[in-house]
């Protein structure tokens, strides 16, 4: 087993710029193969180390978010249905700060593109969306790459404690305002 791992590491080192490019493309196409973000980031930490693995994961996750933006703008009917589902299950008045979105991206069982929907709501241009997506991808790229294997292998009580701490921090940092629209109180008479 150790010999095969060493041979994989040798192939990665000898492939030059192709290995990082293929890894970034794996991030972009991982949703087609239903591969969780955490597994790809763990792979990046193993193959490239914490520093380069984090950088490559950050680039790949940002490209994934931009691809989501392009698809969302291309197919507005599908995006509207996704927003309706989000509104139905999460409420229409829930606003999250960018810091909250960064924390939620650390929770492995929360879908990656749920946060992309929130980012789509608060951004007006692709440049703004890309900037917010980049910031929101920093925590999972770093944490999953460097400490992902520890989080994945922790005993259940420690994992539940970690999720509880993240929930408490998420709640404390949250915006304390709720926005109501005029039409929610007064309906137009036909």
């Amino acid at each position: 087993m150790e010999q095969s791992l060493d041979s994989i590491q040798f192939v990665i080192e000898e492939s030059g710029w192709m290995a990082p490019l293929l890894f970034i493309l794996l991030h972009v196409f991982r949703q087609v193969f239903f591969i969780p973000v955490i597994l790809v980031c763990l792979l990046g930490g193993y193959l490239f180390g914490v520093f380069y693995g984090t950088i490559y994961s950050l680039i790949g996750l940002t490209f994934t978010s931009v691809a989501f933006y392009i698809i969302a703008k291309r197919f507005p009917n599908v995006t509207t249905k996704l927003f309706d589902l989000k509104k139905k299950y999460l409420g229409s008045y829930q606003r999250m700060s960018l810091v909250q979105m960064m924390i939620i991206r650390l929770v492995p069982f929360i879908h990656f593109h749920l946060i992309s929907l929130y980012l789509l709501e608060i951004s007006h241009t692709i440049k703004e969306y890309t900037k917010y997506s980049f910031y929101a991808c920093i925590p999972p790229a770093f944490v999953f790459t460097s400490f992902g294997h520890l989080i994945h292998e922790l005993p259940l009580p420690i994992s539940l404690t970690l999720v509880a701490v993240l929930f408490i921090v998420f709640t404390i940092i949250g915006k304390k305002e709720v926005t109501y629209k005029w039409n929610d109180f007064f309906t137009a008479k036909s």
Side-chain angles (χ1 to χ4, degrees), residues 23-160:
F23 179 72
I24 290 169
L25 289 175
L26 176 64
H27 264 294
V28 174
F29 293 110
R30 71 170 172 71
Q31 48 268 3
V32 174
F33 303 113
F34 301 106
I35 301 172
V37 173
I38 189 170
L39 293 180
V40 178
C41 290
L42 282 171
L43 180 66
Y46 177 77
L47 295 177
F48 302 108
V50 174
F51 181 74
Y52 289 112
T54 300
I55 289 174
Y56 300 150
S57 289
L58 189 56
I59 292 168
L61 291 172
T62 304
F63 281 163
T64 300
S65 295
V66 170
F68 177 82
Y69 181 89
I70 291 169
I71 291 170
K73 293 300 179 182
R74 208 74 159 172
F75 301 103
N77 292 339
V78 174
T79 307
T80 303
K81 289 180 183 179
L82 289 174
F83 279 123
D84 290 343
L85 281 172
K86 183 185 85 58
K87 186 187 302 184
K88 179 180 178 182
Y89 291 111
L90 300 175
S92 59
Y93 303 112
Q94 177 65 33
R95 299 271 186 215
M96 284 197 286
S97 66
L98 185 59
V99 175
Q100 283 180 301
M101 291 182 224
M102 292 168 80
I103 291 171
I104 270 197
R105 281 250 166 107
L106 287 173
V107 181
F109 55 84
I110 300 292
H111 197 280
F112 185 81
H113 292 303
L114 175 65
I115 301 305
S116 297
L117 280 176
Y118 277 104
L119 292 171
L120 201 59
E121 277 184 328
I122 65 170
S123 57
H124 302 292
T125 64
I126 190 167
K127 182 179 178 182
E128 188 178 25
Y129 176 83
T130 305
K131 180 178 77 170
Y132 291 152
S133 294
F134 177 80
Y135 292 146
C137 289
I138 291 173
F142 176 73
V143 171
F144 293 159
T145 301
S146 58
F147 301 112
H149 67 282
L150 294 175
I151 292 172
H152 192 323
E153 295 177 6
L154 287 176
L156 183 61
I158 295 174
S159 297
L160 292 176

